[in-house]
Amino acid sequence: MNTLKTITHKKTPPHKYATIQNNLWHLLSIIFKIIINSKLKTINSPKIKLSLLLILLYSSSHSQTIGRIIEIKNKQDTTFLSDVMIYSTQTKQLVYSDSTGFFLLNTLPPNDTLDINALGYVRQKFIVKNPSEKLLIILKPAIQLNEIEVVYQRPSVEYSVINPLQIQTLNENYLQKAACCNLSESFETNASIDVQITDAITGIRQLQMNGLVGKYILLTKENMPYLFGIQSAQGLSFLPGPFIQSIQLSKGTGPVLNGYESFAGQINTELWHPAKPEFKLYFNNYINQNGRNEYNLIYNQKISNNVHYNLLLHSSFNPLAQDFNHDGFVDIPTGKQFNIVHKYAIKTNNGLDWQFGGQLILDERTSGQIIPNYNYIENPYIVTSTTKRYDAFSKSGWIFKNKPGHSIGLQLMYSYFENKNRYDNDPYNALQSSFYVNLIYQGIIQTTAHTYKIGLTYNSIQPDELYRYFIFKRNEQISGMFAEYNYVPSPNLSLLIGNRLDYHNYYGWIYIPRLHLKLNFNNQNTTLKFSAGKAFRTPNPLSENIGLMASRRVFYFDGFDTSLPYKLNPETGWTFGSNLYHTFKLFYRPANILLEYYYTYFTSALITDIDTPKEVHFYNNSASSHSAQLEAQFQPIKRLETHFAFRYVQQQALYSRKYDEQPYIPKFRGFLNLVYTTANKKWNFDFTAQYISQKRLPHTFQNPPDFRRPNFSQPFWNLLSQITYTHKWKKNEIKCYLGVENLNDFKQNNPIVAASTPSSPYFDASMIWAPIYGRMIYAGLRYYWR
């Protein structure tokens, strides 16, 4: 028999003589299936066909209830139906028919009712009078129509009503709404993520979620750690957008099997899978008015039915040094990057599913006062950065076919990161090697209503940093174990309880409890979710505040325990969240509304205090964040997708002796995205409008008058738009796109304090709250060869 897609109940081990007998029946079943299947195609009589089917059913198995789903279209045509849902109302078993129409159920009680459901066919209630008999079920089409093409338009952002975690899946359609050159630029059209530039010189971008900065977001690649330790600040630009097939965005605390971090949420990226290619060859080219040009190539190859691989190549170049605000500093760094990912996928018939591969990144950047023929008053202030990163990973899983619902998985990851920077005369060199192991065992307790995951984790992180006269070196060794239980008595209720216990060689024992609850109402049109949990992380004050290095500020580490990294305590806190998701019809078309609230309280947070002129202080204290967001998606007219969102954030931290808002986090944010696709699907028009309210800025009232800044930034709008034309021939496809960022050309005036005298102690390029380049026009193409 072919393996069924879903088996929910464990079988009682049979007697050894019964096992021998079953194996003989199974062998006969295979022989009969080969003979009969080959003959059915040449036999025209439906009576003979039905007789052969009954013989085949009888020969297959007698220890369980077995059946087959067919459709008899006419005297000459009998079709086996696959992927038909069969549900036992008494035993609660749910299975699907295989590619030849067969299905298998554990022995049913007499007079059990089977609910037979298949798309395009009349739904049937089938009463099993004698479970030992073989079942032959004939379905009838729901409506007889002439041949038509049914097209489903997949939304670019999908919300899960099944998973107890609040997860949004951003698929390829979303990633193509804008240029999305790398991960940091993939959220320009997202309602939940803010993108902030750290300083006016390096152009490094930082994410914000739920009123928290990017270091509180767990960043993973294919559910393995990707940006962690001292990599987190610059690593967002090291994952090209075309490499990404989808992004899973979850808010609040995540599952314990992914670790003890995740205060604000988790961003997981899935690269293109070698064994599930949507194309054989993909090519992408991008260029903008700054001269930035990028090239991406993805090649998928099938070696055998069980072995596949792909090769992902990226190169980008920024050759132009432009200064449109005339402050002597380039608006965008010059440089180049080369990026290679090579992946293999092996899947065997005995239950092994294995992926492995590696990534190589080489990146060079130059910025600062490098404008040709510019009359600088003093020696130019130049910033250089060189990065090398090597990754090797392996993900393997083994499904126990003789123990349905049970599997084991092993994740392995090695990463080497080397980053050398120079801010004028101040060096910042960062080196980190890390090794990660995660062993996961998954099983069920009698039925799939009770599932569990248990496992062991080992993480070795060895950062080494040099900045000015500071040298920080540590060797983190973390060993842990976790257990997760998921209770799903019905599709309308899901309870996920997780606990993990880790031992950290610097901080001792770490206990992390987490809970997620999901409730569905109104035929799953309404979903209510709750989450609560604790999180923990090691602070990295230098790499996480790399934008402050583009200044003359003096760094102070105000901790007391010299045995701890940076003399600072770890960051710990609790996050609580709830969200309400409702789907309905508006203008006779699908619509949904989402209401979210998240609260994070830090029992110990790393405070980056930049309110003292010419100084930055790092110390531990308490902090909190409240975030409420309303989203709505609907189609006011046909093919016009409308996405609206509004967010309110209230956050504060204890600075020295008083609470104050943290800088650069807007209190209000509005979002509107409009997407219109023509009826022939050749043209796509995308428009995004973002409203960013005022942000608190660091205090500068003690500076000389020429070097002072307002206490708050001004609110502004950021507009983006893109037009895409699609042309298809045979199975191939080409998309040409033209877009513009910052359409309204809003720019921050005088972004650099003391730009004309960078040797001044008041020089500071980190006080950035808005774009500094202005309007950016870009164009590109995407080619798919299938």
Side-chain angles (χ1 to χ4, degrees):
M1 293 297 299
N2 293 332
T3 303
L4 296 179
K5 293 189 176 181
T6 306
I7 300 177
T8 59
H9 288 270
K10 295 163 50 178
K11 296 190 295 183
T12 303
H15 191 272
K16 63 180 181 179
Y17 296 110
T19 302
I20 297 174
Q21 189 178 15
N22 287 339
N23 290 336
L24 291 175
W25 278 108
H26 183 65
L27 180 61
L28 290 174
S29 168
I30 296 174
I31 297 174
F32 270 101
K33 283 176 69 177
I34 295 173
I35 297 174
I36 294 175
N37 283 333
S38 63
K39 295 296 183 183
L40 280 174
K41 297 180 180 179
T42 59
I43 296 176
N44 296 325
S45 172
K47 293 183 179 180
I48 298 177
K49 282 189 175 184
L50 288 176
S51 300
L52 289 174
L53 287 173
L54 291 173
I55 293 173
L56 176 57
L57 290 173
Y58 180 78
S59 66
S60 297
S61 174
H62 66 285
S63 62
Q64 296 169 311
T65 300
I66 188 172
R68 199 170 200 182
I69 310 291
I70 66 171
E71 175 194 359
I72 300 179
K73 296 182 179 180
N74 52 55
K75 294 182 179 181
Q76 307 294 328
D77 190 0
T78 298
T79 303
F80 308 131
L81 301 181
S82 62
D83 297 318
V84 178
M85 187 188 78
I86 303 99
Y87 178 70
S88 167
T89 58
Q90 293 191 32
T91 65
K92 310 302 181 185
Q93 297 180 77
L94 175 64
V95 298
Y96 291 83
S97 60
D98 65 11
S99 59
T100 59
F102 278 100
F103 66 90
L104 180 66
L105 293 165
N106 287 338
T107 303
L108 303 174
N111 297 318
D112 191 2
T113 299
L114 299 182
D115 185 0
I116 314 297
N117 190 11
L119 182 64
Y121 293 87
V122 177
R123 190 167 184 170
Q124 293 188 18
K125 301 289 185 180
F126 190 92
I127 299 176
V128 182
K129 296 182 179 179
N130 186 354
S132 62
E133 292 183 352
K134 317 308 171 188
L135 309 179
L136 182 64
I137 302 172
I138 303 174
L139 295 187
K140 296 180 180 180
I143 301 177
Q144 299 287 349
L145 295 173
N146 294 328
E147 183 177 352
I148 61 172
E149 181 183 5
V150 179
V151 178
Y152 168 69
Q153 186 172 351
R154 186 181 182 187
S156 58
V157 180
E158 300 172 290
Y159 300 90
S160 173
V161 298
I162 299 175
N163 198 313
L165 281 74
Q166 173 57 10
I167 295 181
Q168 300 178 19
T169 299
L170 315 178
N171 55 40
E172 185 186 8
N173 294 331
Y174 166 83
L175 293 171
Q176 294 185 359
K177 291 161 71 71
C180 293
C181 296
N182 55 57
L183 182 61
S184 68
E185 299 172 343
S186 298
F187 300 101
E188 296 285 356
T189 59
N190 187 270
S192 299
I193 302 292
D194 292 340
V195 181
Q196 172 75 31
I197 298 177
T198 62
D199 63 271
I201 296 180
T202 66
I204 295 174
R205 296 172 182 247
Q206 185 183 67
L207 304 181
Q208 296 177 2
M209 180 195 293
N210 295 342
L212 300 175
V213 296
K215 64 180 180 179
Y216 298 116
I217 304 172
L218 177 61
L219 297 168
T220 59
K221 183 178 70 175
E222 300 185 345
N223 283 314
M224 290 187 291
Y226 183 63
L227 300 180
F228 54 95
I230 61 177
Q231 303 174 348
S232 58
Q234 302 185 63
L236 291 172
S237 63
F238 296 155
L239 194 57
F243 286 12
I244 304 172
Q245 184 173 12
S246 66
I247 299 175
Q248 291 78 45
L249 171 63
S250 63
K251 294 185 177 182
T253 56
V256 294
L257 62 90
N258 287 335
Y260 46 69
E261 296 184 341
S262 177
F263 290 81
Q266 178 180 348
I267 296 176
N268 178 62
T269 57
E270 292 288 339
L271 306 189
W272 288 102
H273 196 292
K276 302 175 183 178
E278 297 186 8
F279 47 81
K280 186 175 181 65
L281 182 69
Y282 170 82
F283 174 75
N284 167 251
N285 171 235
Y286 164 92
I287 188 169
N288 66 20
Q289 70 182 71
N290 178 242
R292 175 179 174 183
N293 55 101
E294 299 196 356
Y295 309 89
N296 298 278
L297 182 68
I298 303 176
Y299 176 71
N300 294 295
Q301 179 63 47
K302 176 182 176 181
I303 299 177
S304 68
N305 290 333
N306 297 330
V307 182
H308 301 75
Y309 78 86
N310 63 11
L311 183 64
L312 299 83
L313 304 174
H314 166 87
S315 63
S316 62
F317 306 90
N318 288 56
L320 299 183
Q322 295 179 326
D323 176 25
F324 288 119
N325 58 9
H326 308 293
D327 61 359
F329 288 78
V330 292
D331 299 330
I332 298 176
T334 63
K336 57 186 176 181
Q337 183 186 123
F338 300 97
N339 203 319
I340 302 174
V341 175
H342 194 30
K343 292 176 59 179
Y344 282 83
I346 300 175
K347 190 171 185 178
T348 64
N349 297 328
N350 60 359
L352 175 65
D353 192 345
W354 184 22
Q355 293 185 56
F356 63 92
Q359 182 175 16
L360 167 65
I361 302 167
L362 302 174
D363 184 270
E364 296 179 1
R365 294 282 177 251
T366 303
S367 57
Q369 295 180 318
I370 58 173
I371 306 299
N373 302 321
Y374 193 94
N375 187 19
Y376 293 110
I377 299 176
E378 53 186 49
N379 291 331
Y381 183 97
I382 298 176
V383 176
T384 60
S385 175
T386 303
T387 303
K388 299 178 182 179
R389 175 167 176 167
Y390 316 95
D391 290 348
F393 70 91
S394 170
K395 297 193 308 179
S396 56
W398 190 281
I399 299 175
F400 300 103
K401 292 195 171 184
N402 60 346
K403 200 173 182 181
H406 293 255
S407 63
I408 190 170
L410 178 63
Q411 298 175 331
L412 302 173
M413 177 71 155
Y414 173 77
S415 178
Y416 175 82
F417 174 79
E418 180 182 317
N419 179 231
K420 296 182 178 180
N421 305 269
R422 180 165 289 275
Y423 293 82
D424 195 21
N425 296 320
D426 296 331
Y428 173 62
N429 297 328
L431 179 67
Q432 176 176 288
S433 61
S434 57
F435 181 64
Y436 171 81
V437 182
N438 198 25
L439 179 66
I440 308 169
Y441 182 86
Q442 178 175 331
I444 63 175
I445 304 174
Q446 294 185 342
T447 72
T448 52
H450 306 273
T451 62
Y452 65 89
K453 294 178 183 178
I454 57 175
L456 302 173
T457 304
Y458 172 73
N459 206 350
S460 173
I461 308 174
Q462 300 172 333
D464 187 353
E465 294 175 285
L466 165 67
Y467 177 60
R468 292 178 180 169
Y469 43 81
F470 294 108
I471 298 178
F472 295 103
K473 184 182 295 186
R474 68 182 189 269
N475 182 8
E476 290 188 72
Q477 302 292 323
I478 310 104
S479 302
M481 54 185 175
F482 60 86
E484 195 173 78
Y485 168 71
N486 194 10
Y487 175 57
V488 190
S490 74
N492 296 324
L493 173 63
S494 179
L495 176 64
L496 181 66
I497 302 174
N499 292 273
R500 70 173 297 129
L501 182 66
D502 294 270
Y503 183 79
H504 197 292
N505 62 324
Y506 287 104
Y507 307 118
W509 291 101
I510 307 164
Y511 171 62
I512 303 293
R514 291 178 182 175
L515 180 144
H516 297 83
L517 175 65
K518 182 217 69 173
L519 300 170
N520 286 342
F521 308 95
N522 191 22
N523 293 325
Q524 294 192 346
N525 290 326
T526 304
T527 303
L528 183 63
K529 297 182 180 181
F530 300 93
S531 65
K534 185 181 178 182
F536 170 99
R537 68 181 303 274
T538 300
N540 297 280
L542 285 178
S543 61
E544 292 162 1
N545 295 278
I546 195 168
L548 295 175
M549 297 180 186
S551 71
R552 297 295 184 184
R553 291 179 180 267
V554 179
F555 286 44
Y556 295 93
F557 299 86
D558 298 338
F560 301 100
D561 193 341
T562 57
S563 66
L564 299 180
Y566 311 101
K567 301 189 295 182
L568 298 170
N569 293 323
E571 295 191 270
T572 57
W574 293 81
T575 297
F576 306 89
S578 63
N579 53 76
L580 178 67
Y581 178 70
H582 179 65
T583 60
F584 56 98
K585 293 286 186 179
L586 183 64
F587 308 116
Y588 305 100
R589 284 177 284 271
N592 63 71
I593 188 170
L594 175 66
L595 179 62
E596 299 178 319
Y597 169 74
Y598 288 92
Y599 169 63
T600 300
Y601 174 73
F602 288 90
T603 54
S604 174
L606 171 63
I607 306 298
T608 303
D609 190 343
I610 51 179
D611 286 326
T612 302
K614 302 181 293 183
E615 298 177 359
V616 53
H617 292 261
F618 300 106
Y619 51 86
N620 292 105
N621 224 327
S622 61
S624 64
S625 173
H626 299 264
S627 175
Q629 180 164 309
L630 173 67
E631 288 187 54
Q633 296 187 78
F634 58 94
Q635 294 186 40
I637 62 175
K638 192 175 182 179
R639 297 187 302 278
L640 176 61
E641 298 180 22
T642 302
H643 187 181
F644 164 81
F646 179 80
R647 180 170 69 243
Y648 169 75
V649 171
Q650 181 184 6
Q651 47 76 34
Q652 59 182 1
L654 183 56
Y655 290 91
S656 298
R657 297 180 180 179
K658 68 173 185 176
Y659 281 95
D660 202 349
E661 295 180 7
Q662 298 185 54
Y664 306 119
I665 298 179
K667 180 168 289 189
F668 301 100
R669 183 179 187 253
F671 174 87
L672 176 66
N673 178 244
L674 302 174
V675 181
Y676 180 77
T677 305
T678 58
N680 60 10
K681 299 189 183 301
K682 287 184 176 295
W683 291 95
N684 179 275
F685 303 88
D686 193 288
F687 173 79
T688 301
Q690 302 173 354
Y691 171 77
I692 295 92
S693 71
Q694 66 179 18
K695 310 173 186 179
R696 184 180 87 80
L697 302 179
H699 300 317
T700 57
F701 60 88
Q702 298 180 29
N703 288 4
D706 291 342
F707 302 146
R708 292 175 186 172
R709 293 292 186 268
N711 292 330
F712 291 90
S713 67
Q714 66 182 94
F716 66 95
W717 287 87
N718 184 25
L719 307 180
L720 307 93
S721 183
Q722 180 176 286
I723 301 174
T724 304
Y725 174 75
T726 302
H727 176 68
K728 297 182 180 180
W729 73 100
K730 297 182 179 179
K731 295 183 179 181
N732 303 320
E733 184 178 35
I734 187 170
K735 296 182 179 181
C736 302
Y737 57 92
L738 175 67
V740 57
E741 298 174 354
N742 196 5
L743 178 63
N744 51 325
D745 198 30
F746 181 85
K747 293 179 288 187
Q748 177 182 342
N749 294 323
N750 301 320
I752 301 178
V753 179
S756 61
T757 55
S759 61
S760 167
Y762 296 98
F763 172 78
D764 194 343
S766 67
M767 298 184 64
I768 300 301
W769 49 268
I772 62 174
Y773 186 85
R775 185 182 296 112
M776 175 71 76
I777 300 174
Y778 64 87
L781 64 86
R782 304 179 180 100
Y783 171 72
Y784 302 82
W785 179 40
R786 295 183 170 92

